[in-house]
Amino acid sequence: KITYLRRKYPIRIPQYITINGGTQELTVEQQIYIEGKKEEEEPIIEVLLTDNVPGLGTKGHLVKLHRNRFWNNLYLRNLAELPTPERINELKSEACHNSPIMSIITNLDDANVLSGHSYETQQRLLNMTLYIPMNPSIPWTLTPKHVKVAFRRVGVVVEEEDIAMPEKPVTASTLEEFTVNVNMENKISVPVKCRIFLYQRLDAKTTTKPPSNVFRKIRLDDWLSDFPDDELRLLPGFTNKPYRC
């Protein structure tokens, strides 16, 4: 018969190897064990964000992610912790206290941090060059409507009122790269690199097309999965105990 033991008082802070070698000393409470059932370690855990984490969430939010990404990344950087009712209420109270209108409970989503699909869209806009096709045969000055149509060509929907044009007017003589700013969810302004593409008519129905491969490769963290193998690192002074940073 196998008897499984578990700590009577679970450790909420991991035991890390100290700089001088060896592990931290256990307290008396941490050395008390009682009989229990075999527990399977769940890879996905819920944690409380103690600061804004782009792509994941804002301070005070409860989010789910892989335990290795929590213990070996967010926790070590003081960006998240295991949730307790006291800490959840404390962060909510801080948000309410910092609100300009004390009588209104602050919405935690008001922080200038994007997550999920919005964060992915932001990263794609930051890593693209938008080519705006224009007619070289007539005089024109670039407007938000032209930019909106160019975005539609590459599958991005942006309203005209969310497009901020550069201070210097863009015309057919503008050869250099310029930047327009896109307002996202009234939280942040995303600068997008742009170039004018003066198309040429080949025949009655055909014109030259601007480049279609406008997006550069981006890397997004999958918070629900473990670190990829190419991110494995070794502990200083050890060669047989890989850890993930």
Side-chain angles (χ1 to χ4, degrees), residues 122-180:
Q122 176 200 18
Q123 295 304 305
R124 294 197 181 281
L125 292 180
L126 288 171
N127 291 277
M128 71 173 295
T129 299
L130 180 66
Y131 290 90
I132 306 174
M134 300 298 293
N135 189 347
S137 303
I138 58 175
W140 50 264
T141 299
L142 195 69
T143 67
K145 185 174 183 179
H146 295 130
V147 180
K148 174 184 176 180
V149 173
F151 270 122
R152 283 290 184 97
R153 290 187 65 260
V154 295
V156 179
V157 179
V158 182
E159 299 300 330
E160 292 183 40
E161 56 267 24
D162 292 326
I163 299 173
M165 304 298 294
E167 294 183 1
K168 182 180 178 181
V170 178
T171 63
S173 61
T174 303
L175 302 178
E176 68 275 9
E177 186 177 84
F178 59 93
T179 300
V180 300

CSV table of all heavy atoms in Angstrom, one decimal, residues 122-180:
chain,number,residue,atom,x,y,z
A,122,GLN,N,-2.2,45.2,-32.8
A,122,GLN,CA,-1.3,46.3,-32.5
A,122,GLN,C,0.1,45.9,-33.0
A,122,GLN,O,0.8,46.7,-33.7
A,122,GLN,CB,-1.2,46.6,-31.1
A,122,GLN,CG,-0.1,47.6,-30.7
A,122,GLN,CD,0.2,47.5,-29.2
A,122,GLN,OE1,0.0,46.6,-28.5
A,122,GLN,NE2,0.8,48.6,-28.7
A,123,GLN,N,0.5,44.6,-32.7
A,123,GLN,CA,1.9,44.2,-33.1
A,123,GLN,C,2.0,44.1,-34.6
A,123,GLN,O,3.0,44.4,-35.2
A,123,GLN,CB,2.2,42.8,-32.5
A,123,GLN,CG,2.3,42.9,-31.0
A,123,GLN,CD,3.3,43.9,-30.5
A,123,GLN,OE1,4.5,43.9,-30.9
A,123,GLN,NE2,2.9,44.8,-29.7
A,124,ARG,N,0.9,43.7,-35.3
A,124,ARG,CA,1.0,43.6,-36.8
A,124,ARG,C,1.0,45.0,-37.4
A,124,ARG,O,1.7,45.2,-38.4
A,124,ARG,CB,-0.3,42.8,-37.3
A,124,ARG,CG,-0.3,41.4,-36.8
A,124,ARG,CD,-1.2,40.5,-37.7
A,124,ARG,NE,-1.2,39.1,-37.2
A,124,ARG,CZ,-0.3,38.2,-37.5
A,124,ARG,NH1,0.7,38.6,-38.2
A,124,ARG,NH2,-0.4,37.0,-37.0
A,125,LEU,N,0.3,45.9,-36.8
A,125,LEU,CA,0.4,47.3,-37.4
A,125,LEU,C,1.8,47.9,-37.2
A,125,LEU,O,2.3,48.6,-38.0
A,125,LEU,CB,-0.6,48.2,-36.7
A,125,LEU,CG,-2.1,47.9,-37.0
A,125,LEU,CD1,-3.0,48.8,-36.2
A,125,LEU,CD2,-2.4,47.9,-38.5
A,126,LEU,N,2.4,47.6,-36.0
A,126,LEU,CA,3.8,48.1,-35.7
A,126,LEU,C,4.8,47.5,-36.6
A,126,LEU,O,5.9,48.0,-36.8
A,126,LEU,CB,4.1,47.8,-34.3
A,126,LEU,CG,3.4,48.7,-33.2
A,126,LEU,CD1,3.7,48.1,-31.8
A,126,LEU,CD2,3.8,50.1,-33.3
A,127,ASN,N,4.5,46.3,-37.2
A,127,ASN,CA,5.5,45.6,-38.0
A,127,ASN,C,5.0,45.4,-39.4
A,127,ASN,O,5.0,44.3,-40.0
A,127,ASN,CB,5.8,44.2,-37.4
A,127,ASN,CG,6.5,44.3,-36.1
A,127,ASN,OD1,7.7,44.4,-36.0
A,127,ASN,ND2,5.8,44.3,-35.0
A,128,MET,N,4.5,46.5,-40.0
A,128,MET,CA,4.1,46.5,-41.4
A,128,MET,C,4.5,47.8,-42.1
A,128,MET,O,4.8,48.8,-41.5
A,128,MET,CB,2.6,46.3,-41.5
A,128,MET,CG,1.8,47.5,-41.0
A,128,MET,SD,0.0,47.4,-41.3
A,128,MET,CE,-0.1,47.3,-43.1
A,129,THR,N,4.5,47.7,-43.4
A,129,THR,CA,4.6,48.9,-44.2
A,129,THR,C,3.4,49.0,-45.1
A,129,THR,O,3.1,48.1,-45.9
A,129,THR,CB,5.9,48.9,-45.1
A,129,THR,OG1,7.0,48.9,-44.2
A,129,THR,CG2,6.0,50.2,-45.9
A,130,LEU,N,2.6,50.0,-45.0
A,130,LEU,CA,1.3,50.2,-45.7
A,130,LEU,C,1.6,50.9,-47.0
A,130,LEU,O,2.1,52.1,-47.0
A,130,LEU,CB,0.3,50.9,-44.9
A,130,LEU,CG,-1.1,51.1,-45.6
A,130,LEU,CD1,-1.8,49.8,-45.8
A,130,LEU,CD2,-1.9,52.1,-44.8
A,131,TYR,N,1.4,50.3,-48.2
A,131,TYR,CA,1.5,50.9,-49.5
A,131,TYR,C,0.2,51.4,-49.9
A,131,TYR,O,-0.8,50.7,-50.0
A,131,TYR,CB,2.1,49.9,-50.5
A,131,TYR,CG,3.5,49.5,-50.2
A,131,TYR,CD1,3.8,48.4,-49.4
A,131,TYR,CD2,4.5,50.2,-50.8
A,131,TYR,CE1,5.1,48.1,-49.2
A,131,TYR,CE2,5.9,49.9,-50.6
A,131,TYR,CZ,6.2,48.8,-49.8
A,131,TYR,OH,7.5,48.5,-49.5
A,132,ILE,N,0.1,52.7,-50.2
A,132,ILE,CA,-1.1,53.4,-50.5
A,132,ILE,C,-1.1,53.7,-52.0
A,132,ILE,O,-0.3,54.6,-52.5
A,132,ILE,CB,-1.3,54.7,-49.7
A,132,ILE,CG1,-1.1,54.4,-48.2
A,132,ILE,CG2,-2.6,55.4,-50.0
A,132,ILE,CD1,-1.1,55.6,-47.3
A,133,PRO,N,-1.9,53.0,-52.8
A,133,PRO,CA,-1.9,53.2,-54.3
A,133,PRO,C,-2.6,54.6,-54.6
A,133,PRO,O,-3.7,54.8,-54.1
A,133,PRO,CB,-2.7,52.0,-54.8
A,133,PRO,CG,-3.6,51.6,-53.7
A,133,PRO,CD,-2.8,51.9,-52.4
A,134,MET,N,-1.9,55.4,-55.4
A,134,MET,CA,-2.5,56.7,-55.8
A,134,MET,C,-2.2,56.9,-57.3
A,134,MET,O,-1.3,56.3,-57.9
A,134,MET,CB,-1.8,57.8,-55.0
A,134,MET,CG,-2.0,57.7,-53.5
A,134,MET,SD,-3.8,57.8,-53.0
A,134,MET,CE,-4.1,59.5,-53.4
A,135,ASN,N,-3.1,57.7,-57.9
A,135,ASN,CA,-3.0,58.0,-59.3
A,135,ASN,C,-2.0,59.1,-59.6
A,135,ASN,O,-2.1,60.2,-59.1
A,135,ASN,CB,-4.4,58.5,-59.8
A,135,ASN,CG,-4.4,58.6,-61.3
A,135,ASN,OD1,-3.4,58.6,-62.0
A,135,ASN,ND2,-5.6,58.7,-61.9
A,136,PRO,N,-0.9,58.8,-60.4
A,136,PRO,CA,0.1,59.9,-60.7
A,136,PRO,C,-0.3,60.9,-61.7
A,136,PRO,O,0.4,61.9,-61.9
A,136,PRO,CB,1.3,59.0,-61.2
A,136,PRO,CG,0.6,57.9,-61.9
A,136,PRO,CD,-0.6,57.6,-61.1
A,137,SER,N,-1.5,60.7,-62.4
A,137,SER,CA,-1.9,61.5,-63.5
A,137,SER,C,-2.6,62.8,-63.0
A,137,SER,O,-2.8,63.7,-63.8
A,137,SER,CB,-2.8,60.7,-64.5
A,137,SER,OG,-2.1,59.6,-64.9
A,138,ILE,N,-3.1,62.8,-61.8
A,138,ILE,CA,-3.9,64.0,-61.3
A,138,ILE,C,-3.3,64.4,-60.0
A,138,ILE,O,-2.7,63.7,-59.3
A,138,ILE,CB,-5.4,63.6,-61.1
A,138,ILE,CG1,-5.5,62.4,-60.1
A,138,ILE,CG2,-6.0,63.2,-62.5
A,138,ILE,CD1,-6.9,62.1,-59.8
A,139,PRO,N,-3.4,65.7,-59.7
A,139,PRO,CA,-2.9,66.2,-58.4
A,139,PRO,C,-3.8,65.8,-57.3
A,139,PRO,O,-5.0,65.7,-57.4
A,139,PRO,CB,-3.0,67.7,-58.6
A,139,PRO,CG,-4.0,68.0,-59.6
A,139,PRO,CD,-3.9,66.8,-60.6
A,140,TRP,N,-3.2,65.5,-56.1
A,140,TRP,CA,-4.0,65.0,-55.0
A,140,TRP,C,-3.2,65.3,-53.7
A,140,TRP,O,-2.0,65.5,-53.7
A,140,TRP,CB,-4.3,63.5,-55.1
A,140,TRP,CG,-3.1,62.6,-55.4
A,140,TRP,CD1,-2.7,62.2,-56.6
A,140,TRP,CD2,-2.1,62.2,-54.5
A,140,TRP,NE1,-1.6,61.5,-56.5
A,140,TRP,CE2,-1.2,61.4,-55.2
A,140,TRP,CE3,-1.9,62.3,-53.1
A,140,TRP,CZ2,-0.1,60.8,-54.6
A,140,TRP,CZ3,-0.8,61.7,-52.5
A,140,TRP,CH2,0.1,61.0,-53.3
A,141,THR,N,-3.9,65.3,-52.6
A,141,THR,CA,-3.3,65.3,-51.3
A,141,THR,C,-3.9,64.2,-50.5
A,141,THR,O,-5.2,64.0,-50.4
A,141,THR,CB,-3.7,66.7,-50.6
A,141,THR,OG1,-3.1,67.7,-51.4
A,141,THR,CG2,-3.0,66.7,-49.2
A,142,LEU,N,-3.1,63.4,-49.8
A,142,LEU,CA,-3.5,62.2,-49.1
A,142,LEU,C,-4.5,62.6,-48.0
A,142,LEU,O,-4.3,63.5,-47.2
A,142,LEU,CB,-2.3,61.5,-48.5
A,142,LEU,CG,-2.6,60.0,-48.1
A,142,LEU,CD1,-2.9,59.2,-49.3
A,142,LEU,CD2,-1.4,59.5,-47.3
A,143,THR,N,-5.6,61.8,-47.9
A,143,THR,CA,-6.6,62.0,-46.8
A,143,THR,C,-6.8,60.7,-46.1
A,143,THR,O,-6.4,59.6,-46.5
A,143,THR,CB,-8.0,62.4,-47.5
A,143,THR,OG1,-8.5,61.3,-48.2
A,143,THR,CG2,-7.8,63.6,-48.3
A,144,PRO,N,-7.4,60.8,-44.9
A,144,PRO,CA,-7.7,59.5,-44.1
A,144,PRO,C,-8.5,58.5,-45.0
A,144,PRO,O,-8.3,57.3,-44.7
A,144,PRO,CB,-8.5,60.0,-42.9
A,144,PRO,CG,-8.0,61.4,-42.7
A,144,PRO,CD,-7.8,62.0,-44.1
A,145,LYS,N,-9.3,59.0,-45.9
A,145,LYS,CA,-10.1,58.0,-46.7
A,145,LYS,C,-9.2,57.2,-47.6
A,145,LYS,O,-9.4,55.9,-47.7
A,145,LYS,CB,-11.1,58.7,-47.6
A,145,LYS,CG,-12.0,57.8,-48.3
A,145,LYS,CD,-13.1,58.6,-49.1
A,145,LYS,CE,-14.1,57.6,-49.8
A,145,LYS,NZ,-15.2,58.4,-50.5
A,146,HIS,N,-8.1,57.8,-48.1
A,146,HIS,CA,-7.2,57.0,-48.9
A,146,HIS,C,-6.5,56.0,-48.1
A,146,HIS,O,-6.3,54.8,-48.5
A,146,HIS,CB,-6.1,57.9,-49.5
A,146,HIS,CG,-6.7,58.9,-50.5
A,146,HIS,ND1,-6.4,60.3,-50.4
A,146,HIS,CD2,-7.5,58.8,-51.6
A,146,HIS,CE1,-7.0,60.9,-51.4
A,146,HIS,NE2,-7.7,60.0,-52.1
A,147,VAL,N,-6.1,56.3,-46.9
A,147,VAL,CA,-5.4,55.4,-46.0
A,147,VAL,C,-6.4,54.3,-45.6
A,147,VAL,O,-6.0,53.1,-45.5
A,147,VAL,CB,-4.9,56.2,-44.7
A,147,VAL,CG1,-4.2,55.2,-43.8
A,147,VAL,CG2,-4.0,57.3,-45.1
A,148,LYS,N,-7.6,54.6,-45.3
A,148,LYS,CA,-8.6,53.6,-44.9
A,148,LYS,C,-8.8,52.5,-46.0
A,148,LYS,O,-8.8,51.3,-45.8
A,148,LYS,CB,-10.0,54.3,-44.7
A,148,LYS,CG,-11.1,53.3,-44.4
A,148,LYS,CD,-12.4,54.0,-44.3
A,148,LYS,CE,-13.6,53.0,-44.1
A,148,LYS,NZ,-14.9,53.7,-44.0
A,149,VAL,N,-8.8,53.0,-47.3
A,149,VAL,CA,-9.0,52.1,-48.4
A,149,VAL,C,-7.7,51.2,-48.5
A,149,VAL,O,-7.8,50.0,-48.8
A,149,VAL,CB,-9.2,52.8,-49.7
A,149,VAL,CG1,-9.2,51.9,-50.9
A,149,VAL,CG2,-10.6,53.6,-49.7
A,150,ALA,N,-6.5,51.8,-48.3
A,150,ALA,CA,-5.3,51.0,-48.4
A,150,ALA,C,-5.3,49.9,-47.3
A,150,ALA,O,-4.8,48.8,-47.5
A,150,ALA,CB,-4.1,51.9,-48.3
A,151,PHE,N,-5.8,50.3,-46.1
A,151,PHE,CA,-5.8,49.3,-45.0
A,151,PHE,C,-6.8,48.1,-45.4
A,151,PHE,O,-6.5,47.0,-45.2
A,151,PHE,CB,-6.3,49.9,-43.7
A,151,PHE,CG,-5.2,50.5,-42.9
A,151,PHE,CD1,-5.2,51.8,-42.5
A,151,PHE,CD2,-4.2,49.6,-42.4
A,151,PHE,CE1,-4.2,52.3,-41.7
A,151,PHE,CE2,-3.2,50.1,-41.6
A,151,PHE,CZ,-3.2,51.5,-41.3
A,152,ARG,N,-7.9,48.5,-46.0
A,152,ARG,CA,-8.9,47.5,-46.4
A,152,ARG,C,-8.2,46.5,-47.4
A,152,ARG,O,-8.6,45.3,-47.4
A,152,ARG,CB,-10.1,48.1,-47.1
A,152,ARG,CG,-11.1,48.8,-46.1
A,152,ARG,CD,-11.8,47.7,-45.3
A,152,ARG,NE,-12.8,48.3,-44.4
A,152,ARG,CZ,-14.1,48.4,-44.7
A,152,ARG,NH1,-14.5,48.0,-45.9
A,152,ARG,NH2,-14.9,49.0,-43.9
A,153,ARG,N,-7.4,47.0,-48.3
A,153,ARG,CA,-6.7,46.1,-49.2
A,153,ARG,C,-5.9,45.0,-48.6
A,153,ARG,O,-5.8,43.9,-49.2
A,153,ARG,CB,-5.8,46.9,-50.2
A,153,ARG,CG,-6.5,47.8,-51.1
A,153,ARG,CD,-5.5,48.4,-52.1
A,153,ARG,NE,-4.9,47.4,-53.0
A,153,ARG,CZ,-3.7,46.9,-52.8
A,153,ARG,NH1,-2.9,47.3,-51.8
A,153,ARG,NH2,-3.2,46.0,-53.6
A,154,VAL,N,-5.4,45.2,-47.4
A,154,VAL,CA,-4.6,44.2,-46.7
A,154,VAL,C,-5.3,43.5,-45.6
A,154,VAL,O,-4.8,42.9,-44.7
A,154,VAL,CB,-3.3,44.8,-46.2
A,154,VAL,CG1,-2.4,45.3,-47.4
A,154,VAL,CG2,-3.5,46.0,-45.2
A,155,GLY,N,-6.7,43.8,-45.5
A,155,GLY,CA,-7.5,43.1,-44.5
A,155,GLY,C,-7.6,43.7,-43.2
A,155,GLY,O,-8.0,43.1,-42.2
A,156,VAL,N,-7.3,45.0,-43.1
A,156,VAL,CA,-7.4,45.7,-41.8
A,156,VAL,C,-8.5,46.8,-41.9
A,156,VAL,O,-8.5,47.6,-42.8
A,156,VAL,CB,-6.0,46.4,-41.4
A,156,VAL,CG1,-6.2,47.2,-40.1
A,156,VAL,CG2,-4.9,45.4,-41.4
A,157,VAL,N,-9.4,46.7,-41.0
A,157,VAL,CA,-10.6,47.6,-41.0
A,157,VAL,C,-10.3,48.8,-40.0
A,157,VAL,O,-10.1,48.5,-38.8
A,157,VAL,CB,-11.9,46.9,-40.6
A,157,VAL,CG1,-13.0,47.9,-40.6
A,157,VAL,CG2,-12.2,45.8,-41.6
A,158,VAL,N,-10.2,50.0,-40.5
A,158,VAL,CA,-9.9,51.2,-39.7
A,158,VAL,C,-10.9,52.3,-40.1
A,158,VAL,O,-11.1,52.5,-41.3
A,158,VAL,CB,-8.5,51.6,-39.8
A,158,VAL,CG1,-8.2,52.8,-38.9
A,158,VAL,CG2,-7.5,50.5,-39.5
A,159,GLU,N,-11.5,52.9,-39.1
A,159,GLU,CA,-12.4,54.0,-39.5
A,159,GLU,C,-11.6,55.3,-39.7
A,159,GLU,O,-10.5,55.5,-39.1
A,159,GLU,CB,-13.4,54.3,-38.3
A,159,GLU,CG,-14.3,53.1,-38.1
A,159,GLU,CD,-15.1,52.7,-39.3
A,159,GLU,OE1,-15.5,53.6,-40.1
A,159,GLU,OE2,-15.4,51.5,-39.4
A,160,GLU,N,-12.1,56.2,-40.5
A,160,GLU,CA,-11.4,57.4,-40.9
A,160,GLU,C,-11.1,58.3,-39.6
A,160,GLU,O,-10.0,58.9,-39.5
A,160,GLU,CB,-12.2,58.2,-41.9
A,160,GLU,CG,-12.3,57.6,-43.3
A,160,GLU,CD,-13.1,58.5,-44.2
A,160,GLU,OE1,-12.9,59.7,-44.2
A,160,GLU,OE2,-13.9,57.9,-45.0
A,161,GLU,N,-12.0,58.3,-38.7
A,161,GLU,CA,-11.8,59.2,-37.5
A,161,GLU,C,-10.7,58.6,-36.6
A,161,GLU,O,-10.2,59.4,-35.7
A,161,GLU,CB,-13.1,59.3,-36.7
A,161,GLU,CG,-13.7,58.0,-36.3
A,161,GLU,CD,-14.8,57.5,-37.3
A,161,GLU,OE1,-14.7,57.9,-38.5
A,161,GLU,OE2,-15.7,56.8,-36.9
A,162,ASP,N,-10.3,57.4,-36.8
A,162,ASP,CA,-9.2,56.8,-36.0
A,162,ASP,C,-7.9,56.9,-36.7
A,162,ASP,O,-6.9,56.4,-36.2
A,162,ASP,CB,-9.5,55.3,-35.7
A,162,ASP,CG,-10.7,55.2,-34.8
A,162,ASP,OD1,-10.9,56.0,-33.9
A,162,ASP,OD2,-11.5,54.2,-35.0
A,163,ILE,N,-7.8,57.6,-37.8
A,163,ILE,CA,-6.5,57.8,-38.5
A,163,ILE,C,-6.1,59.2,-38.4
A,163,ILE,O,-6.8,60.2,-38.7
A,163,ILE,CB,-6.7,57.4,-40.0
A,163,ILE,CG1,-7.2,56.0,-40.2
A,163,ILE,CG2,-5.4,57.7,-40.8
A,163,ILE,CD1,-7.5,55.6,-41.6
A,164,ALA,N,-4.8,59.4,-37.8
A,164,ALA,CA,-4.2,60.7,-37.7
A,164,ALA,C,-3.2,60.9,-38.7
A,164,ALA,O,-2.2,60.1,-38.8
A,164,ALA,CB,-3.7,60.9,-36.3
A,165,MET,N,-3.3,61.8,-39.6
A,165,MET,CA,-2.4,62.1,-40.7
A,165,MET,C,-1.1,62.8,-40.2
A,165,MET,O,-1.2,63.5,-39.2
A,165,MET,CB,-3.1,62.9,-41.8
A,165,MET,CG,-4.3,62.3,-42.3
A,165,MET,SD,-4.0,60.7,-43.1
A,165,MET,CE,-3.0,61.2,-44.5
A,166,PRO,N,0.0,62.7,-40.9
A,166,PRO,CA,1.2,63.5,-40.5
A,166,PRO,C,1.0,65.0,-40.7
A,166,PRO,O,0.1,65.4,-41.5
A,166,PRO,CB,2.3,62.9,-41.5
A,166,PRO,CG,1.5,62.3,-42.6
A,166,PRO,CD,0.2,61.8,-42.1
A,167,GLU,N,1.7,65.7,-40.0
A,167,GLU,CA,1.6,67.2,-40.0
A,167,GLU,C,1.9,67.7,-41.4
A,167,GLU,O,1.1,68.6,-41.9
A,167,GLU,CB,2.5,67.9,-39.0
A,167,GLU,CG,2.1,67.5,-37.6
A,167,GLU,CD,3.0,68.3,-36.6
A,167,GLU,OE1,3.9,69.0,-37.1
A,167,GLU,OE2,2.9,68.1,-35.4
A,168,LYS,N,2.9,67.2,-42.1
A,168,LYS,CA,3.2,67.7,-43.4
A,168,LYS,C,2.3,67.0,-44.4
A,168,LYS,O,2.2,65.8,-44.4
A,168,LYS,CB,4.7,67.4,-43.7
A,168,LYS,CG,5.2,67.9,-45.1
A,168,LYS,CD,6.6,67.5,-45.3
A,168,LYS,CE,7.1,67.9,-46.7
A,168,LYS,NZ,8.5,67.6,-46.9
A,169,PRO,N,1.6,67.7,-45.3
A,169,PRO,CA,0.7,67.1,-46.3
A,169,PRO,C,1.5,66.1,-47.2
A,169,PRO,O,2.6,66.4,-47.6
A,169,PRO,CB,0.2,68.3,-47.1
A,169,PRO,CG,0.3,69.4,-46.1
A,169,PRO,CD,1.6,69.2,-45.3
A,170,VAL,N,0.9,65.0,-47.5
A,170,VAL,CA,1.5,64.0,-48.4
A,170,VAL,C,0.9,64.2,-49.7
A,170,VAL,O,-0.3,64.1,-49.9
A,170,VAL,CB,1.2,62.6,-47.8
A,170,VAL,CG1,1.8,61.5,-48.8
A,170,VAL,CG2,1.8,62.4,-46.4
A,171,THR,N,1.7,64.4,-50.7
A,171,THR,CA,1.3,64.6,-52.1
A,171,THR,C,2.1,63.6,-53.0
A,171,THR,O,2.9,62.8,-52.6
A,171,THR,CB,1.5,66.0,-52.6
A,171,THR,OG1,3.0,66.3,-52.5
A,171,THR,CG2,0.8,67.0,-51.6
A,172,ALA,N,1.9,63.8,-54.4
A,172,ALA,CA,2.5,62.9,-55.3
A,172,ALA,C,4.0,63.1,-55.3
A,172,ALA,O,4.8,62.2,-55.8
A,172,ALA,CB,2.0,63.2,-56.7
A,173,SER,N,4.5,64.2,-54.8
A,173,SER,CA,6.0,64.5,-54.7
A,173,SER,C,6.6,63.9,-53.5
A,173,SER,O,7.8,63.9,-53.3
A,173,SER,CB,6.2,66.0,-54.8
A,173,SER,OG,5.6,66.6,-53.7
A,174,THR,N,5.8,63.3,-52.6
A,174,THR,CA,6.3,62.6,-51.4
A,174,THR,C,6.9,61.3,-51.7
A,174,THR,O,6.2,60.3,-52.0
A,174,THR,CB,5.2,62.5,-50.3
A,174,THR,OG1,4.7,63.8,-50.0
A,174,THR,CG2,5.8,61.9,-49.0
A,175,LEU,N,8.2,61.2,-51.7
A,175,LEU,CA,8.9,59.9,-52.0
A,175,LEU,C,9.3,59.2,-50.8
A,175,LEU,O,9.5,57.9,-50.8
A,175,LEU,CB,10.1,60.2,-52.9
A,175,LEU,CG,9.8,61.0,-54.2
A,175,LEU,CD1,11.1,61.2,-55.0
A,175,LEU,CD2,8.9,60.2,-55.1
A,176,GLU,N,9.5,59.9,-49.7
A,176,GLU,CA,10.1,59.2,-48.5
A,176,GLU,C,8.9,58.5,-47.7
A,176,GLU,O,7.8,58.8,-47.9
A,176,GLU,CB,10.8,60.2,-47.6
A,176,GLU,CG,9.9,61.2,-46.9
A,176,GLU,CD,9.6,62.4,-47.8
A,176,GLU,OE1,10.0,62.4,-49.0
A,176,GLU,OE2,9.0,63.4,-47.3
A,177,GLU,N,9.4,57.6,-46.8
A,177,GLU,CA,8.4,57.0,-45.9
A,177,GLU,C,7.9,57.9,-44.9
A,177,GLU,O,8.6,58.8,-44.4
A,177,GLU,CB,9.1,55.8,-45.2
A,177,GLU,CG,8.3,54.9,-44.4
A,177,GLU,CD,9.1,53.7,-43.8
A,177,GLU,OE1,9.7,54.0,-42.7
A,177,GLU,OE2,9.1,52.7,-44.4
A,178,PHE,N,6.6,57.8,-44.6
A,178,PHE,CA,6.0,58.6,-43.6
A,178,PHE,C,5.1,57.8,-42.6
A,178,PHE,O,5.0,56.6,-42.8
A,178,PHE,CB,5.1,59.7,-44.2
A,178,PHE,CG,4.0,59.2,-45.1
A,178,PHE,CD1,2.7,59.0,-44.6
A,178,PHE,CD2,4.2,58.9,-46.4
A,178,PHE,CE1,1.7,58.4,-45.4
A,178,PHE,CE2,3.2,58.3,-47.2
A,178,PHE,CZ,1.9,58.1,-46.7
A,179,THR,N,4.6,58.4,-41.6
A,179,THR,CA,3.9,57.6,-40.6
A,179,THR,C,2.5,58.2,-40.3
A,179,THR,O,2.3,59.4,-40.2
A,179,THR,CB,4.7,57.6,-39.2
A,179,THR,OG1,5.9,57.1,-39.4
A,179,THR,CG2,3.9,56.9,-38.1
A,180,VAL,N,1.5,57.3,-40.3
A,180,VAL,CA,0.2,57.7,-39.8
A,180,VAL,C,-0.1,57.0,-38.5
A,180,VAL,O,0.5,55.9,-38.2
A,180,VAL,CB,-0.9,57.3,-40.8
A,180,VAL,CG1,-0.7,58.0,-42.1
A,180,VAL,CG2,-1.0,55.8,-41.0
